């Protein structure tokens, strides 16, 4: 089921799946406008605005995002297939979804997605040479001998 553009990286026990979702520029512009319309001024200095802590943590229910979430659902199943998971035996459920707006010199604080078995990031707009996603661990999951 994996297509030519997708890639799966296994960093035992951590996996990353990278692929492209084709959303045309006019659809992206509509979604970006909707996100900026719901953005409020409750922002900390140097910290990005996130809709989940500002009352909008279910963008997947928003009509402007339906096509994107359908595509995400397809990609999540493709990812699960790369792990040799029989996707016919699983009921997939998207529980939360939100937007983040990072202006110049802003960043997202390190955080965890404890509530999720699979997390997904999609960049509607990402300027060239802007920040990238970073995965960090407090503990090394591949340690041969713990705390030596």
């Amino acid at each position: 089921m994996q297509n030519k553009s997708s890639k799966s990286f296994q960093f035992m026990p951590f996996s990353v799946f990278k692929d492209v979702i084709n959303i045309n520029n006019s659809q992206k512009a509509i979604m970006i406008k909707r996100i900026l319309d719901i953005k409020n001024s409750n922002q900390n200095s140097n910290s990005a605005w996130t809709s989940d802590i500002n009352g909008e943590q279910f963008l997947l229910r928003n009509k402007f995002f339906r096509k994107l979430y359908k595509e995400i659902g397809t990609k999540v199943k493709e990812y699960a297939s790369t792990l040799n998971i029989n996707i016919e035996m699983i009921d997939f459920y998207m529980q939360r979804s939100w937007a983040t707006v990072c202006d110049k010199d802003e960043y997202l604080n390190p955080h965890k997605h404890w509530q999720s078995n699979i997390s997904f990031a999609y960049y509607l707009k990402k300027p060239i040479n802007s920040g990238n996603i970073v995965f960090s661990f407090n503990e090394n999951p591949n340690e041969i001998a713990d705390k030596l």
Side-chain angles (χ1 to χ4, degrees):
M1 184 172 173
Q2 191 170 355
N3 67 48
K4 292 180 182 180
S5 66
S6 65
K7 293 181 179 147
S8 183
F9 304 91
Q10 307 302 316
F11 301 108
M12 298 180 14
F14 186 70
S15 299
V16 174
F17 181 80
K18 178 183 177 183
D19 202 355
V20 173
I21 290 180
N22 293 312
I23 302 287
N24 69 45
N25 288 337
S26 64
Q27 291 171 311
K28 284 183 184 180
I30 290 168
M31 289 187 283
I32 290 167
K33 182 181 181 326
R34 176 63 184 140
I35 289 165
L36 295 176
D37 285 347
I38 62 175
K39 181 182 177 201
N40 65 27
S41 62
N42 297 335
Q43 224 173 315
N44 294 327
S45 177
N46 294 329
S47 183
W49 176 86
T50 59
S51 67
D52 64 324
I53 61 171
N54 288 285
E56 189 76 44
Q57 66 270 23
F58 301 107
L59 284 181
L60 65 119
R61 297 178 185 166
N62 188 303
K63 67 181 179 182
F64 298 105
F65 296 86
R66 283 189 188 134
K67 180 175 173 36
L68 174 61
Y69 284 100
K70 182 178 180 209
E71 294 294 321
I72 290 171
T74 298
K75 297 299 179 180
V76 166
K77 289 178 181 178
E78 187 177 334
Y79 163 67
S81 293
T82 69
L83 299 175
N84 295 319
I85 294 171
N86 182 349
I87 62 171
E88 302 301 322
M89 301 295 292
I90 296 176
D91 289 326
F92 290 88
Y93 174 75
M94 289 190 207
Q95 61 186 14
R96 294 179 64 211
S97 56
W98 61 90
T100 301
V101 178
C102 291
D103 292 321
K104 186 175 175 150
D105 297 325
E106 292 181 342
Y107 56 88
L108 275 176
N109 289 317
H111 61 281
K112 295 179 170 110
H113 294 185
W114 290 117
Q115 76 283 358
S116 304
N117 295 99
I118 298 173
S119 292
F120 196 99
Y122 178 77
Y123 296 91
L124 280 169
K125 181 178 177 183
K126 184 178 175 297
I128 295 172
N129 297 324
S130 63
N132 292 306
I133 194 166
V134 174
F135 301 100
S136 61
F137 300 93
N138 291 336
E139 296 178 16
N140 184 346
N142 294 327
E143 289 269 338
I144 294 173
D146 190 31
K147 296 180 177 49
L148 287 181

